[in-house]
Structures are given as structure tokens and as C-alpha cells.
Amino acid sequence: MSSNAAAWLPEPKAHPFQVKEAPLWEPAENEILIRNHAVAVNPVDGSLQTKAWWPMEYPTILGQDVAGEVVQLGPKVTRFRVGARVVGHAVGMATKRNQDNAFQAYTILQTNMVCELPDAIAYEAAAVLPLGLSTAACGLVGSNAIQLAVAAGYEVVTTASPRNFDYVKRLGASSVFDYNSPTVVDDLATALEGKTLAGAMDCIGFAATPLTAAVVNRSQGSKFIVTVKGGFQPPEGVTVKSVFGTTLKDNEVGKAIYEDFLPRALEAKSFIPAPEPLVAGQGLHSIQPAVDRQAQGTSAQKVVVVL
């Protein structure tokens, strides 16, 4: 192994990231060290950089989505082998350890948050998965939520922009409506008539949550909404809960998703990496342009950097 390097934030709200040397981490029990081949950018990364709203010790490293090659196994790790291609959720935001973050050449991953990757799936395609998948498993949100809900036997009714209707239907949604339509609440309520609601999933938050609550309030079944945002006061009888994907690392759901479900589903092509990767550059110096590109907004794509 060569030396490690990372895209560091030296202090709160620093811009740009500084690419400098980092320690070459040593995996402990239930951990592996991987050489990163691709990382993806999430909205939370730009928010953490520009707003510094989460308590962190500086200098720090960000990044949660990573795909790469196993280079070292921690003690007693038998599930993986050196050289295996993997995709995993780097959970440094929760652990506050720099070795657990993705925006570097080498990252430590917990074994219950990582999945072996079939040869047919490129690293940059796989890198879009982890945070979205983990969050989906916690509360069923977004592209991954559609596939997980369908795999669990549920019918999915969802919203999207019209240009992404075919995309979400390919992921398994039975029907889809334009979230910008002035009649979207009535359209959804009509589509749910005669059905028992298992719950609602809001992956946009704030602006969308009141509309979601209005639909849930008019439906039969579980009047429950999970969202990646918070701070919304629902109408009486409707419950809203905020979720974040790192909570999987400490319970049985992480293993259920990354060890029991995902490896077989990826191999069988019954679960596909989504959304499509938007490669914004190569190398750690491309992390800042990629984070800036993500802040501009994307549709049915996720910004990725190849390392």
C-alpha cells in the first residue's frame, strides 16, 4: 500500500477542501480498509462544509458513499478477502473518526455496512448507493426506497418530475404523478382510494412534507410519514419522523441490508444502483468542484468522483 491522502476541511466553513497527506488507517475488529476507486457526493456534504451545523473536530474529512477494493482485513474478519470489490457506507459523520470518511484514498468501513460488488457493476455506478440505501432502509426514501418497498411486496405510488416518470417506473413504481401539479394531492388521494396505506416517504422535505401530510390525512391505513428533513408540525392524527442512514451501523438492519439482501440482489440484477452517476472529475482535487456541482442540483443523477 502507498501513503494515504484526503480532501481536508481545516476549519469550519473552509473553502476549498485542502488535499493533503492523511494517516494510513489500521482496521480493527469488524472493520476493513479499502482503497477507494469512486466516491459520491450527497447534499449533506455541501451543507456540512458551508454551514458547519454538525459538531465536528477540525481538521476533518467528509464523505459517506464509497466503492473500492479491500486492501486489509481487521482481526477475525472472514466475510471478505483482500482484493474483493466492495461498496459501502462510510459512517464518520456518526463516529467522528476521520478514518471512517470517504473523501480520501483509503477508508475504514464497518463490515455490517459494506457489500461485495459484482464485476459487472462499475465502481462509479456502485458509489451512488450507500447513503441513499441506508436512509431508505431506515425510512424508505428515494430511488432505493422504491426498489426496497417493491422487494418487500408493497405497491409504490410516487411523485417525480414528468421527465423522470419512466425512470421511477423502471425502478418498480406502479404509478407516478407530477409533484409540481396543482392537483397532485387530489391525484394521489384518488390513486390511494380503496387501498390500505402502509406509510408515506418524503425524500424532499419541508416544501413537500405538508403535501404528503395532506395525502396521508385523506387515506386509510397508517398515517405515518418518514422524512430526511425535520421541523414540520403535522396535522392531528399524522405522525412524522426524521431519519438518517447512519443509524443502521448499530442495529440488525445494517447486516440485513448489506450482508443478507444486497449482495444477492445485485448479483441477480433484481436491485440496480440508482440514480445514474454523474462523473464530475477524477482525483481528490475534484472533490470541491463535485460538491459545488451537486449544490447546483441534479435530476435522477448523483455526482461522483473517480479516484
Side-chain angles (χ1 to χ4, degrees):
M1 289 181 285
S2 60
S3 60
N4 192 18
W8 290 93
L9 278 181
E11 60 187 11
K13 302 183 180 180
H15 189 288
F17 292 93
Q18 296 181 6
V19 177
K20 295 183 177 180
E21 185 179 359
L24 190 56
W25 317 106
E26 188 80 14
E29 286 192 21
N30 302 315
E31 295 179 347
I32 59 175
L33 177 69
I34 74 165
R35 177 177 175 269
N36 302 336
H37 286 272
V39 297
V41 178
N42 291 280
V44 69
D45 298 314
S47 176
L48 288 171
Q49 180 185 19
T50 60
K51 299 179 181 178
W53 53 272
W54 186 257
M56 296 183 288
E57 294 184 7
Y58 294 87
T60 193
I61 306 169
L62 303 180
Q64 304 196 52
D65 292 340
V66 61
E69 176 187 356
V70 178
V71 294
Q72 188 176 349
L73 307 176
K76 301 181 181 179
V77 172
T78 59
R79 184 175 155 224
F80 298 99
R81 59 174 177 80
V82 172
R85 303 174 74 250
V86 296
V87 58
H89 185 168
V91 293
M93 188 174 174
T95 66
K96 302 187 187 305
R97 304 193 317 171
N98 281 323
Q99 58 262 50
D100 300 334
N101 291 300
F103 292 170
Q104 54 188 319
Y106 293 87
T107 294
I108 294 287
L109 294 176
Q110 291 185 190
T111 54
N112 66 330
M113 299 293 288
V114 59
C115 165
E116 193 153 357
L117 192 61
D119 291 340
I121 300 178
Y123 288 120
E124 57 266 33
V128 306
L129 275 174
L131 180 58
L133 177 63
S134 295
T135 307
C138 290
L140 292 181
V141 178
S143 300
N144 294 285
I146 295 173
Q147 296 189 78
L148 285 179
V150 171
Y154 293 98
E155 178 186 1
V156 175
V157 177
T158 190
T159 63
S161 62
R163 64 178 174 177
N164 290 324
F165 279 11
D166 289 341
Y167 164 72
V168 295
K169 287 182 177 179
R170 287 197 303 271
L171 295 178
S174 64
S175 53
V176 57
F177 298 91
D178 182 359
Y179 52 56
N180 286 318
S181 170
T183 62
V184 65
V185 171
D186 291 335
D187 295 340
L188 287 166
T190 299
L192 293 171
E193 285 182 1
K195 302 180 187 294
T196 300
L197 187 68
M201 302 150 278
D202 176 15
C203 62
I204 301 174
F206 295 130
T209 306
L211 300 179
T212 307
V215 174
V216 168
N217 206 31
R218 291 172 54 177
S219 302
Q220 299 298 314
S222 177
K223 298 183 183 296
F224 181 78
I225 302 170
V226 290
T227 177
V228 294
K229 301 287 187 179
F232 171 71
Q233 184 62 42
E236 185 176 354
V238 176
T239 301
V240 175
K241 182 177 181 180
S242 299
V243 296
F244 196 76
T246 54
T247 55
L248 270 70
K249 75 181 187 66
D250 296 321
N251 58 44
E252 70 282 358
V253 181
K255 177 183 180 297
I257 292 296
Y258 285 95
E259 183 174 347
D260 300 336
F261 169 73
L262 189 60
R264 296 178 182 86
L266 290 177
E267 191 67 47
K269 300 180 180 179
S270 58
F271 193 97
I272 60 173
E276 290 291 321
L278 173 62
V279 177
Q282 186 167 357
L284 290 171
H285 286 91
S286 295
I287 294 292
Q288 188 64 69
V291 171
D292 294 341
R293 174 64 184 85
Q294 192 286 322
Q296 297 172 12
T298 60
S299 178
Q301 291 181 309
K302 193 168 188 176
V303 177
V304 171
V305 172
V306 175
L307 301 179

Short mmCIF file of all heavy atoms in Angstrom, two decimals, residues 231-277:
data_model
loop_
_atom_site.label_atom_id
_atom_site.label_comp_id
_atom_site.label_asym_id
_atom_site.label_seq_id
_atom_site.Cartn_x
_atom_site.Cartn_y
_atom_site.Cartn_z
N GLY A 231 -38.59 19.38 11.50
CA GLY A 231 -39.12 20.69 11.80
C GLY A 231 -40.53 20.94 11.30
O GLY A 231 -41.00 22.07 11.33
N PHE A 232 -41.24 19.91 10.82
CA PHE A 232 -42.60 20.10 10.33
C PHE A 232 -43.59 19.63 11.37
O PHE A 232 -43.46 18.55 11.93
CB PHE A 232 -42.79 19.32 9.03
CG PHE A 232 -44.23 19.27 8.56
CD1 PHE A 232 -44.84 20.40 8.05
CD2 PHE A 232 -44.97 18.10 8.64
CE1 PHE A 232 -46.16 20.37 7.64
CE2 PHE A 232 -46.28 18.05 8.21
CZ PHE A 232 -46.88 19.19 7.72
N GLN A 233 -44.61 20.44 11.64
CA GLN A 233 -45.68 20.09 12.56
C GLN A 233 -46.85 19.51 11.79
O GLN A 233 -47.55 20.24 11.08
CB GLN A 233 -46.13 21.32 13.35
CG GLN A 233 -47.18 21.03 14.42
CD GLN A 233 -46.68 20.08 15.49
OE1 GLN A 233 -45.55 20.20 15.95
NE2 GLN A 233 -47.52 19.13 15.88
N PRO A 234 -47.09 18.21 11.87
CA PRO A 234 -48.15 17.59 11.06
C PRO A 234 -49.52 17.86 11.64
O PRO A 234 -49.66 18.24 12.82
CB PRO A 234 -47.80 16.10 11.16
CG PRO A 234 -47.16 15.96 12.50
CD PRO A 234 -46.38 17.23 12.71
N PRO A 235 -50.56 17.64 10.84
CA PRO A 235 -51.91 17.78 11.37
C PRO A 235 -52.20 16.68 12.40
O PRO A 235 -51.51 15.66 12.44
CB PRO A 235 -52.79 17.62 10.12
CG PRO A 235 -51.95 16.87 9.15
CD PRO A 235 -50.54 17.30 9.42
N GLU A 236 -53.19 16.89 13.22
CA GLU A 236 -53.54 15.92 14.26
C GLU A 236 -53.87 14.57 13.62
O GLU A 236 -54.57 14.49 12.61
CB GLU A 236 -54.75 16.42 15.05
CG GLU A 236 -55.11 15.52 16.23
CD GLU A 236 -56.26 16.09 17.06
OE1 GLU A 236 -56.68 17.23 16.77
OE2 GLU A 236 -56.72 15.40 17.98
N GLY A 237 -53.29 13.52 14.20
CA GLY A 237 -53.52 12.18 13.69
C GLY A 237 -52.46 11.69 12.73
O GLY A 237 -52.45 10.51 12.38
N VAL A 238 -51.56 12.58 12.28
CA VAL A 238 -50.48 12.20 11.37
C VAL A 238 -49.15 12.31 12.13
O VAL A 238 -48.88 13.32 12.78
CB VAL A 238 -50.44 13.10 10.12
CG1 VAL A 238 -49.24 12.75 9.24
CG2 VAL A 238 -51.74 12.97 9.33
N THR A 239 -48.34 11.26 12.04
CA THR A 239 -47.04 11.23 12.71
C THR A 239 -45.92 11.39 11.69
O THR A 239 -45.94 10.76 10.63
CB THR A 239 -46.85 9.90 13.47
OG1 THR A 239 -47.90 9.75 14.43
CG2 THR A 239 -45.51 9.86 14.18
N VAL A 240 -44.94 12.25 12.00
CA VAL A 240 -43.78 12.46 11.14
C VAL A 240 -42.52 12.12 11.92
O VAL A 240 -42.35 12.56 13.07
CB VAL A 240 -43.70 13.92 10.63
CG1 VAL A 240 -42.42 14.13 9.82
CG2 VAL A 240 -44.91 14.25 9.78
N LYS A 241 -41.63 11.35 11.30
CA LYS A 241 -40.36 11.01 11.94
C LYS A 241 -39.21 11.27 10.97
O LYS A 241 -39.26 10.87 9.82
CB LYS A 241 -40.34 9.54 12.37
CG LYS A 241 -39.05 9.14 13.09
CD LYS A 241 -39.10 7.71 13.57
CE LYS A 241 -37.80 7.35 14.30
NZ LYS A 241 -37.82 5.94 14.78
N SER A 242 -38.17 11.93 11.45
CA SER A 242 -36.96 12.16 10.65
C SER A 242 -36.03 10.97 10.76
O SER A 242 -35.92 10.35 11.83
CB SER A 242 -36.24 13.42 11.12
OG SER A 242 -37.06 14.56 10.97
N VAL A 243 -35.34 10.64 9.66
CA VAL A 243 -34.43 9.51 9.67
C VAL A 243 -33.09 9.92 9.05
O VAL A 243 -33.01 10.86 8.26
CB VAL A 243 -35.00 8.31 8.88
CG1 VAL A 243 -36.25 7.77 9.55
CG2 VAL A 243 -35.28 8.68 7.43
N PHE A 244 -32.04 9.20 9.44
CA PHE A 244 -30.73 9.36 8.83
C PHE A 244 -30.07 8.00 8.76
O PHE A 244 -30.15 7.19 9.69
CB PHE A 244 -29.86 10.35 9.61
CG PHE A 244 -28.67 10.84 8.81
CD1 PHE A 244 -28.85 11.77 7.80
CD2 PHE A 244 -27.41 10.33 9.04
CE1 PHE A 244 -27.78 12.21 7.04
CE2 PHE A 244 -26.33 10.77 8.29
CZ PHE A 244 -26.52 11.71 7.29
N GLY A 245 -29.37 7.75 7.65
CA GLY A 245 -28.92 6.41 7.34
C GLY A 245 -27.88 5.80 8.24
O GLY A 245 -27.75 4.59 8.31
N THR A 246 -27.10 6.62 8.98
CA THR A 246 -26.03 6.04 9.79
C THR A 246 -26.53 5.23 10.97
O THR A 246 -25.76 4.48 11.58
CB THR A 246 -25.09 7.14 10.32
OG1 THR A 246 -25.86 8.12 11.01
CG2 THR A 246 -24.30 7.79 9.20
N THR A 247 -27.83 5.34 11.31
CA THR A 247 -28.33 4.58 12.45
C THR A 247 -28.27 3.07 12.21
O THR A 247 -28.30 2.29 13.16
CB THR A 247 -29.78 4.98 12.77
OG1 THR A 247 -30.58 4.83 11.60
CG2 THR A 247 -29.85 6.43 13.24
N LEU A 248 -28.13 2.64 10.96
CA LEU A 248 -28.04 1.21 10.66
C LEU A 248 -26.78 0.57 11.24
O LEU A 248 -26.75 -0.64 11.45
CB LEU A 248 -28.01 0.98 9.14
CG LEU A 248 -29.33 0.77 8.43
CD1 LEU A 248 -30.11 2.07 8.40
CD2 LEU A 248 -29.09 0.28 7.02
N LYS A 249 -25.76 1.36 11.47
CA LYS A 249 -24.48 0.79 11.87
C LYS A 249 -24.53 0.12 13.23
O LYS A 249 -23.68 -0.72 13.55
CB LYS A 249 -23.39 1.87 11.87
CG LYS A 249 -23.44 2.85 13.04
CD LYS A 249 -22.35 3.88 12.94
CE LYS A 249 -22.31 4.76 14.20
NZ LYS A 249 -21.92 3.99 15.41
N ASP A 250 -25.53 0.45 14.03
CA ASP A 250 -25.60 -0.04 15.40
C ASP A 250 -26.74 -1.02 15.65
O ASP A 250 -27.03 -1.34 16.80
CB ASP A 250 -25.74 1.14 16.38
CG ASP A 250 -24.53 2.06 16.35
OD1 ASP A 250 -23.40 1.54 16.25
OD2 ASP A 250 -24.72 3.29 16.41
N ASN A 251 -27.41 -1.47 14.60
CA ASN A 251 -28.50 -2.41 14.81
C ASN A 251 -28.50 -3.49 13.73
O ASN A 251 -27.64 -3.51 12.85
CB ASN A 251 -29.86 -1.68 14.87
CG ASN A 251 -30.15 -0.88 13.60
OD1 ASN A 251 -29.94 -1.35 12.49
ND2 ASN A 251 -30.64 0.35 13.77
N GLU A 252 -29.48 -4.37 13.81
CA GLU A 252 -29.53 -5.54 12.91
C GLU A 252 -29.86 -5.17 11.48
O GLU A 252 -29.67 -5.99 10.57
CB GLU A 252 -30.53 -6.56 13.44
CG GLU A 252 -32.00 -6.17 13.34
CD GLU A 252 -32.47 -5.19 14.41
OE1 GLU A 252 -31.65 -4.84 15.28
OE2 GLU A 252 -33.65 -4.79 14.38
N VAL A 253 -30.35 -3.96 11.23
CA VAL A 253 -30.76 -3.58 9.88
C VAL A 253 -29.55 -3.47 8.95
O VAL A 253 -29.61 -3.82 7.78
CB VAL A 253 -31.58 -2.28 9.90
CG1 VAL A 253 -32.03 -1.91 8.48
CG2 VAL A 253 -32.78 -2.41 10.80
N GLY A 254 -28.41 -2.97 9.47
CA GLY A 254 -27.21 -2.88 8.64
C GLY A 254 -26.83 -4.22 8.05
O GLY A 254 -26.61 -4.35 6.84
N LYS A 255 -26.75 -5.25 8.88
CA LYS A 255 -26.44 -6.59 8.39
C LYS A 255 -27.51 -7.11 7.45
O LYS A 255 -27.21 -7.71 6.41
CB LYS A 255 -26.29 -7.55 9.57
CG LYS A 255 -26.04 -9.00 9.16
CD LYS A 255 -25.97 -9.92 10.36
CE LYS A 255 -25.72 -11.36 9.94
NZ LYS A 255 -26.81 -11.92 9.10
N ALA A 256 -28.78 -6.86 7.79
CA ALA A 256 -29.88 -7.35 6.95
C ALA A 256 -29.80 -6.77 5.54
O ALA A 256 -30.09 -7.47 4.55
CB ALA A 256 -31.22 -7.00 7.59
N ILE A 257 -29.39 -5.51 5.42
CA ILE A 257 -29.31 -4.86 4.11
C ILE A 257 -28.02 -5.22 3.39
O ILE A 257 -28.02 -5.72 2.26
CB ILE A 257 -29.45 -3.34 4.26
CG1 ILE A 257 -30.86 -2.97 4.72
CG2 ILE A 257 -29.14 -2.65 2.92
CD1 ILE A 257 -31.97 -3.32 3.75
N TYR A 258 -26.87 -4.94 4.03
CA TYR A 258 -25.58 -5.02 3.34
C TYR A 258 -25.00 -6.43 3.25
O TYR A 258 -24.16 -6.70 2.40
CB TYR A 258 -24.57 -4.08 4.01
CG TYR A 258 -24.81 -2.64 3.68
CD1 TYR A 258 -25.57 -1.82 4.52
CD2 TYR A 258 -24.32 -2.08 2.51
CE1 TYR A 258 -25.80 -0.49 4.20
CE2 TYR A 258 -24.54 -0.75 2.19
CZ TYR A 258 -25.29 0.04 3.04
OH TYR A 258 -25.51 1.35 2.72
N GLU A 259 -25.45 -7.32 4.12
CA GLU A 259 -24.94 -8.70 4.07
C GLU A 259 -25.96 -9.69 3.56
O GLU A 259 -25.67 -10.53 2.71
CB GLU A 259 -24.46 -9.13 5.46
CG GLU A 259 -23.85 -10.52 5.50
CD GLU A 259 -23.26 -10.87 6.84
OE1 GLU A 259 -23.10 -9.96 7.69
OE2 GLU A 259 -22.95 -12.07 7.05
N ASP A 260 -27.20 -9.60 4.04
CA ASP A 260 -28.21 -10.60 3.71
C ASP A 260 -28.96 -10.31 2.41
O ASP A 260 -29.28 -11.23 1.66
CB ASP A 260 -29.22 -10.73 4.85
CG ASP A 260 -28.57 -11.16 6.16
OD1 ASP A 260 -27.49 -11.76 6.10
OD2 ASP A 260 -29.13 -10.85 7.23
N PHE A 261 -29.24 -9.02 2.14
CA PHE A 261 -30.06 -8.67 0.98
C PHE A 261 -29.26 -8.22 -0.24
O PHE A 261 -29.37 -8.78 -1.33
CB PHE A 261 -31.06 -7.58 1.35
CG PHE A 261 -31.78 -6.96 0.18
CD1 PHE A 261 -32.76 -7.66 -0.49
CD2 PHE A 261 -31.45 -5.69 -0.27
CE1 PHE A 261 -33.42 -7.10 -1.60
CE2 PHE A 261 -32.09 -5.12 -1.36
CZ PHE A 261 -33.08 -5.83 -2.02
N LEU A 262 -28.45 -7.19 -0.08
CA LEU A 262 -27.86 -6.50 -1.24
C LEU A 262 -26.93 -7.37 -2.09
O LEU A 262 -27.02 -7.30 -3.33
CB LEU A 262 -27.14 -5.24 -0.78
CG LEU A 262 -26.67 -4.30 -1.90
CD1 LEU A 262 -27.84 -3.81 -2.75
CD2 LEU A 262 -25.91 -3.11 -1.32
N PRO A 263 -26.02 -8.18 -1.52
CA PRO A 263 -25.13 -8.96 -2.39
C PRO A 263 -25.89 -9.85 -3.37
O PRO A 263 -25.57 -9.89 -4.56
CB PRO A 263 -24.31 -9.79 -1.40
CG PRO A 263 -24.35 -9.00 -0.13
CD PRO A 263 -25.71 -8.38 -0.09
N ARG A 264 -26.91 -10.54 -2.90
CA ARG A 264 -27.69 -11.42 -3.78
C ARG A 264 -28.51 -10.62 -4.78
O ARG A 264 -28.65 -11.01 -5.95
CB ARG A 264 -28.61 -12.31 -2.94
CG ARG A 264 -27.87 -13.27 -2.01
CD ARG A 264 -28.86 -14.08 -1.17
NE ARG A 264 -28.17 -14.98 -0.25
CZ ARG A 264 -27.75 -14.64 0.96
NH1 ARG A 264 -27.94 -13.40 1.39
NH2 ARG A 264 -27.13 -15.50 1.74
N ALA A 265 -29.06 -9.50 -4.32
CA ALA A 265 -29.90 -8.68 -5.20
C ALA A 265 -29.09 -8.05 -6.33
O ALA A 265 -29.54 -7.98 -7.47
CB ALA A 265 -30.61 -7.60 -4.39
N LEU A 266 -27.87 -7.59 -6.02
CA LEU A 266 -27.02 -7.03 -7.06
C LEU A 266 -26.58 -8.11 -8.05
O LEU A 266 -26.55 -7.88 -9.26
CB LEU A 266 -25.79 -6.37 -6.44
CG LEU A 266 -26.01 -5.07 -5.67
CD1 LEU A 266 -24.71 -4.58 -5.06
CD2 LEU A 266 -26.61 -3.98 -6.55
N GLU A 267 -26.24 -9.27 -7.55
CA GLU A 267 -25.81 -10.36 -8.42
C GLU A 267 -26.94 -10.81 -9.33
O GLU A 267 -26.73 -11.09 -10.52
CB GLU A 267 -25.32 -11.54 -7.58
CG GLU A 267 -24.61 -12.63 -8.36
CD GLU A 267 -23.30 -12.18 -8.95
OE1 GLU A 267 -22.49 -11.55 -8.24
OE2 GLU A 267 -23.09 -12.44 -10.16
N ALA A 268 -28.16 -10.85 -8.80
CA ALA A 268 -29.33 -11.28 -9.58
C ALA A 268 -29.89 -10.15 -10.44
O ALA A 268 -30.82 -10.39 -11.23
CB ALA A 268 -30.41 -11.79 -8.65
N LYS A 269 -29.36 -8.94 -10.29
CA LYS A 269 -29.83 -7.75 -11.01
C LYS A 269 -31.29 -7.42 -10.69
O LYS A 269 -31.99 -6.78 -11.47
CB LYS A 269 -29.65 -7.92 -12.52
CG LYS A 269 -28.21 -8.13 -12.93
CD LYS A 269 -28.06 -8.29 -14.44
CE LYS A 269 -26.60 -8.50 -14.83
NZ LYS A 269 -26.42 -8.68 -16.29
N SER A 270 -31.74 -7.87 -9.51
CA SER A 270 -33.09 -7.51 -9.06
C SER A 270 -33.09 -6.18 -8.32
O SER A 270 -34.15 -5.62 -8.03
CB SER A 270 -33.66 -8.61 -8.16
OG SER A 270 -32.82 -8.83 -7.04
N PHE A 271 -31.90 -5.68 -7.99
CA PHE A 271 -31.72 -4.35 -7.41
C PHE A 271 -30.60 -3.68 -8.18
O PHE A 271 -29.51 -4.25 -8.33
CB PHE A 271 -31.35 -4.47 -5.93
CG PHE A 271 -31.46 -3.16 -5.17
CD1 PHE A 271 -32.59 -2.88 -4.43
CD2 PHE A 271 -30.43 -2.23 -5.20
CE1 PHE A 271 -32.69 -1.68 -3.73
CE2 PHE A 271 -30.53 -1.04 -4.50
CZ PHE A 271 -31.66 -0.76 -3.77
N ILE A 272 -30.86 -2.49 -8.68
CA ILE A 272 -29.87 -1.82 -9.52
C ILE A 272 -29.40 -0.53 -8.85
O ILE A 272 -30.18 0.15 -8.18
CB ILE A 272 -30.43 -1.51 -10.93
CG1 ILE A 272 -31.65 -0.60 -10.84
CG2 ILE A 272 -30.76 -2.78 -11.67
CD1 ILE A 272 -32.16 -0.11 -12.17
N PRO A 273 -28.11 -0.18 -8.99
CA PRO A 273 -27.65 1.10 -8.45
C PRO A 273 -28.42 2.25 -9.10
O PRO A 273 -28.50 2.34 -10.32
CB PRO A 273 -26.17 1.13 -8.83
CG PRO A 273 -25.78 -0.30 -8.99
CD PRO A 273 -27.00 -0.96 -9.57
N ALA A 274 -28.95 3.12 -8.27
CA ALA A 274 -29.71 4.27 -8.77
C ALA A 274 -29.58 5.40 -7.78
O ALA A 274 -29.47 5.16 -6.57
CB ALA A 274 -31.18 3.88 -8.96
N PRO A 275 -29.55 6.65 -8.25
CA PRO A 275 -29.69 7.10 -9.63
C PRO A 275 -28.40 6.93 -10.43
O PRO A 275 -27.42 6.39 -9.92
CB PRO A 275 -30.03 8.58 -9.47
CG PRO A 275 -29.34 8.96 -8.21
CD PRO A 275 -29.43 7.77 -7.30
N GLU A 276 -28.41 7.38 -11.67
CA GLU A 276 -27.25 7.26 -12.53
C GLU A 276 -26.11 8.15 -12.02
O GLU A 276 -26.34 9.25 -11.52
CB GLU A 276 -27.60 7.70 -13.96
CG GLU A 276 -28.51 6.74 -14.70
CD GLU A 276 -27.82 5.43 -15.03
OE1 GLU A 276 -26.62 5.48 -15.39
OE2 GLU A 276 -28.47 4.38 -14.93
N PRO A 277 -24.85 7.69 -12.14
CA PRO A 277 -23.73 8.53 -11.72
C PRO A 277 -23.47 9.66 -12.71
O PRO A 277 -23.55 9.47 -13.92
CB PRO A 277 -22.55 7.55 -11.68
CG PRO A 277 -22.91 6.50 -12.69
CD PRO A 277 -24.41 6.36 -12.62
#
